[in-house]
Amino acid sequence: MTIDIRTATEADFEDWQRARNIGFLQEPVLKPEQLEGRRKHWAGSRPLGAFDNGRCVATFRSFDQEITAVGGAAVPADAITNVTVTPTHRRRGLLSRMMARDLAAAKERGDVVATLIAAEYPIYGRYGFGPATWTTEWTVEVPRSGLDPRLSGPEDGGRIDLVDGEDVRELGPGLHERVRRAQPGAVSRNELWWQLNTGVLGRDSGWTEPFYAVYRSASGEVDGLVSYESDDRWHDKQPHNTADVNWLLAATPAAERALWRFLCSIDWITKVKSGWRGPDDLLPFFLPDPRAARVTAHADWLWVRILDVVRALEARTYDGTGSLVLEVVDADGLAGGRFRLEASPQGASCGPAGGAGADLTLPVAELGTVWLGDESLVRLAALGRVQEEREGAARKADALLRTPGRPWCPDIF
């Protein structure tokens, strides 16, 4: 029997969730409270399913998102999540069919890019996605950090207060908007995110109320928020407790410094785990001994698939001035072509290159990788992933496209 790919309806909800859990090797029977929490996500999204004889055997879901381009513009994106295929139905092209359907709809809708967090590296390049941001986790050994444990308050006239979830829901959205507008690669958070991450809506694994701390500058502005948890470990009557950061938002370096130093000053805390941070985060250098912050994880994070080359390249800013002709190869026919980019600090224009010869030929996945300014086209050319059609073109392109700070996506979705 032919496997049917279609939009999943409300009648499919529980069967679809069962298939999602099976694909992620989670318990296939969901509790009522788990289903209720997931129903909120389902309501505002575009779920697809593969159905074999009426039973869901693959899942795929997308929703509206904004991603911050270089320079701060909010770009409409098709965010993809909950991608699974039941083990009995692998290697039948189900993901390819769902992906093609979703990306075609996103292109028609006017989304500039598609985004996802890849559970496995090798899968998504064949659909035109490239890793555009990376993430790093540090573990701080507090006793060797060199910080004076007697000094826990900010040194700049600001203050830190513990708050509750209700305060976070009030203060967090405005702060997050300030932070994400200044951070290429950051994505939007809706009200549902704040409810889920402050316990209003339950999570699959249950809810443990974290600690929340807010940093206010000397003028009273809310410039930072952190959510963290702590374990309770003692050995030979000595504390060996770890503070695990769920997320930390800081609109200024002063706020970031104050929050990290606060976390490292809490009595009985001997380790601080940073959670997922940008790979060029300032954290280690807030410590008198940066070696006290040890990298414990580093991985690709946000993957980007360009759907509209012209709008993607015009949405971002450029520090340099120059012209570049790109031959973009897209096997799926969504965003390929030859494009001329004219860029300067005053703005950019992009359009069909006509008969002009290309400077660089690159797959659409590699354009997604360099769009936020992180990767080097010189390095991609050395790896054979980009072809120089004119000598020195990759270096010229790097001068236009690369950014001083690295992009970062603080969220998983």
Side-chain angles (χ1 to χ4, degrees):
M1 182 176 291
T2 301
I3 297 174
D4 183 27
I5 303 292
R6 60 173 173 80
T7 298
T9 67
E10 178 61 31
D12 302 314
F13 175 72
E14 292 193 23
D15 186 35
W16 191 96
Q17 295 294 345
R18 175 200 53 79
R20 173 206 175 277
N21 271 30
I22 290 173
F24 286 142
L25 297 180
Q26 297 171 356
E27 184 180 0
V29 179
L30 282 81
K31 299 178 178 61
E33 59 269 22
Q34 293 174 315
L35 289 170
E36 184 58 31
R38 292 190 189 181
R39 197 175 295 278
K40 300 287 187 180
H41 291 278
W42 173 278
S45 66
R46 298 176 287 268
L48 291 175
F51 295 86
D52 185 358
N53 198 25
R55 187 174 178 83
C56 189
V57 294
T59 64
F60 187 110
R61 187 167 66 85
S62 67
F63 59 93
D64 292 334
Q65 185 186 73
E66 287 184 343
I67 180 173
T68 302
V70 177
V75 172
D78 176 51
I80 294 169
T81 187
N82 291 168
V83 177
T84 73
V85 177
T86 299
T88 54
H89 287 69
R90 296 172 66 243
R91 302 292 185 263
R92 301 193 193 184
L94 301 184
L95 171 55
S96 295
R97 291 170 62 190
M98 292 189 294
M99 183 69 77
R101 177 168 172 159
D102 182 80
L103 292 180
K107 173 81 173 180
E108 185 174 349
R109 210 166 39 241
D111 290 334
V112 175
V113 300
T115 61
L116 55 81
I117 308 290
E120 297 179 62
Y121 194 101
I123 294 176
Y124 293 99
R126 66 180 185 265
Y127 303 117
F129 288 83
T133 79
W134 291 69
T135 191
T136 304
E137 183 176 21
W138 282 270
T139 297
V140 178
E141 302 288 344
V142 174
R144 74 172 280 194
S145 67
L147 294 170
D148 187 339
R150 298 169 299 177
L151 303 176
S152 61
E155 301 171 345
D156 57 359
R159 62 176 292 159
I160 290 177
D161 296 293
L162 291 175
V163 294
D164 60 23
E166 184 177 354
D167 296 315
V168 171
R169 289 189 294 276
E170 179 183 348
L171 302 173
L175 174 63
H176 178 261
E177 279 300 296
R178 290 172 59 200
V179 171
R180 84 166 176 110
R181 295 293 181 178
Q183 178 57 65
V187 297
S188 52
R189 291 179 180 175
N190 57 20
E191 182 182 356
L192 186 62
W193 189 97
W194 295 100
Q195 292 179 345
L196 185 66
N197 286 274
T198 57
V200 174
L201 293 177
R203 291 176 175 269
D204 283 359
S205 57
W207 174 255
T208 300
E209 188 72 20
F211 301 98
Y212 304 105
V214 59
Y215 166 86
R216 291 181 173 87
S217 68
S219 63
E221 185 82 12
V222 174
D223 283 344
L225 274 170
V226 63
S227 167
Y228 65 97
E229 300 174 26
S230 174
D231 59 11
D232 184 17
R233 296 183 60 199
W234 290 71
H235 180 66
D236 291 337
K237 284 192 165 290
Q238 295 296 317
H240 295 272
N241 297 322
T242 299
D244 276 290
V245 174
N246 299 317
W247 50 266
L248 185 150
L249 290 174
T252 66
E256 193 172 351
R257 176 193 296 269
L259 289 172
W260 287 123
R261 290 199 165 192
F262 163 72
L263 290 165
C264 290
S265 74
I266 299 171
D267 284 345
W268 300 356
I269 294 296
T270 60
K271 288 183 181 180
V272 174
K273 297 182 72 171
S274 70
W276 297 110
R277 305 295 301 167
D280 57 352
D281 199 85
L282 298 174
L283 168 59
F285 302 101
F286 288 140
L287 309 174
D289 184 352
R291 292 183 184 178
R294 177 171 49 91
V295 173
T296 47
H298 178 73
D300 58 284
W301 198 245
L302 184 76
W303 289 55
V304 168
R305 206 282 187 208
I306 303 293
L307 296 172
D308 188 324
V309 173
V310 170
R311 290 170 65 202
L313 292 178
E314 289 184 344
R316 55 160 291 172
T317 58
Y318 302 85
D319 289 339
T321 299
S323 175
L324 195 63
V325 177
L326 301 173
E327 182 76 34
V328 180
V329 180
D330 187 351
D332 296 324
L334 294 171
R338 186 171 297 178
F339 304 90
R340 179 186 294 277
L341 171 66
E342 301 281 352
S344 76
Q346 286 72 47
S349 64
C350 183
D359 297 308
L360 289 169
T361 297
L362 71 168
V364 69
E366 309 304 343
L367 183 60
T369 290
V370 303
W371 177 59
L372 289 172
D374 195 39
E375 184 55 89
S376 162
L377 282 154
V378 170
R379 188 161 79 158
L380 293 178
L383 291 167
R385 291 160 56 181
V386 168
Q387 177 66 43
E388 277 192 316
E389 307 298 346
R390 302 182 192 277
E391 186 176 356
R395 186 173 296 277
K396 174 184 173 184
D398 273 354
L400 276 182
L401 295 170
R402 296 200 80 183
T403 55
R406 300 185 68 176
W408 173 50
C409 177
D411 291 290
I412 189 168
F413 53 89

